[in-house]
Amino acid sequence: MNERIEKIQRKVKRYLDENRYNHTLGVMYTAGSLAMCHGANIEKAMIGGLLHDCAKCIPGDKKIRICKKNNIPIKEVEMANPGLLHAKLGAYFAETKYHISDTEILDAIRSHTTGQPDMTDIQKIVYIADFIEPNRRPLPNMPVVRKLAFEDLDKCIYRLLEDSLSYLKSRKIPIDPQTEETYNFYKNKMELK
Ligand code: DGI
Ligand code: FE
Ligand code: FE
C-alpha cells in the first residue's frame, strides 16, 4: 500500500476509538472508489477520508480550548454544539500534525460536516463518502443515495443535504448556517441543470 497513506493511518489510529477508526477506513476506501469513478485524484480523496474525523474523539470543552488557543474562530452554533468543531479542528491538525499542505485535502476536511457552496470534487467526494461508507448505520434512502454517489455528485449532495436538514429540523437541533447555504447552492444548481 501507498507508504504515505500507511504512515498517516498508523498515526490517526492512536487518536480514534475502534468504531471511529473503522468508519475512517470505510470513508477512505469509499472516497478512493468515488475518485476512480469520477476521475478525481485518488490519493487526495483517500487522505481526505483518512483524516476527516481525526479531531472527532476529543471532548467538547477541549475542542473549544484548542480553537481558542490557536485563534480558530468559533461561531455561535459551534459554541452551542462543539461537536461541529471537529471539522475545522481536523483541518488544522491535518496541516500542523500530519503535514498536509494540499488545500483541496484541507478544504475537504474542513467542509465535511456542513458542506460548502461550490465545492471541489474532492470536497464533494469526502462529504459523500462520510455518509455512504459501508459501516455507516443505515440512513433513510441509503440505496438511492449510494447509487447517486456513483452517478452524479451534485445530485447526491443535494439529496443528502435535504435528508440531513429534515433530520436536524425534526430533532430540533440548531442548524449551522453553512449547512443551509450549501443546501441552497445545490438546490439552485439542480434547478438550473
Ligand atoms: O463525524 P461523523 O459522525 O462521521 O459525521 P459528520 O461530520 O457529518 O457529523 C455528524 C454530526 O454533525 C451529526 O451529529 C449531525 C451534526 N450536524 C451536521 N450538520 C449540522 C449538524 N449539527 C448541527 N448542530 N447543525 C448542522 O447544521
Ligand atoms: Fe465528521
Ligand atoms: Fe465521519
Side-chain angles (χ1 to χ4, degrees), residues 5-55:
I5 291 182
E6 213 176 298
K7 211 172 144 197
I8 301 172
Q9 203 175 310
R10 276 198 300 271
K11 180 162 172 172
V12 78
K13 189 172 198 262
R14 309 207 315 258
Y15 295 95
L16 301 175
D17 62 40
E18 195 184 351
N19 280 341
R20 189 56 50 179
Y21 183 65
N22 288 335
H23 163 68
T24 288
L25 293 185
V27 176
M28 174 175 81
Y29 286 115
T30 303
S33 308
L34 286 170
M36 287 178 206
C37 175
H38 296 287
N41 184 301
I42 297 170
E43 190 178 359
K44 286 188 193 191
M46 289 181 77
I47 293 175
L50 181 54
L51 287 175
H52 82 286
D53 273 342
C54 71

Side-chain angles (χ1 to χ4, degrees), residues 126-133 136 139 142 146 160 164:
V126 172
Y127 182 88
I128 293 170
D130 191 19
F131 279 95
I132 67 165
E133 66 94 4
R136 192 98 189 178
L139 295 167
M142 192 64 119
R146 283 188 170 139
L160 278 172
S164 301

Side-chain angles (χ1 to χ4, degrees), residues 52-53 56 86 112-113 130:
H52 82 286
D53 273 342
K56 183 85 178 183
H86 79 280
H112 87 265
T113 302
D130 191 19

Side-chain angles (χ1 to χ4, degrees), residues 130-152:
D130 191 19
F131 279 95
I132 67 165
E133 66 94 4
N135 306 302
R136 192 98 189 178
R137 116 183 104 75
L139 295 167
N141 307 317
M142 192 64 119
V144 176
V145 171
R146 283 188 170 139
K147 194 154 185 285
L148 271 180
F150 290 88
E151 291 169 358
D152 187 319

Side-chain angles (χ1 to χ4, degrees), residues 157-172:
I157 295 266
Y158 174 58
R159 189 63 199 254
L160 278 172
L161 279 159
E162 197 166 45
D163 291 350
S164 301
L165 281 171
S166 71
Y167 167 82
L168 293 168
K169 283 176 185 160
S170 74
R171 305 207 43 195
K172 302 210 165 25

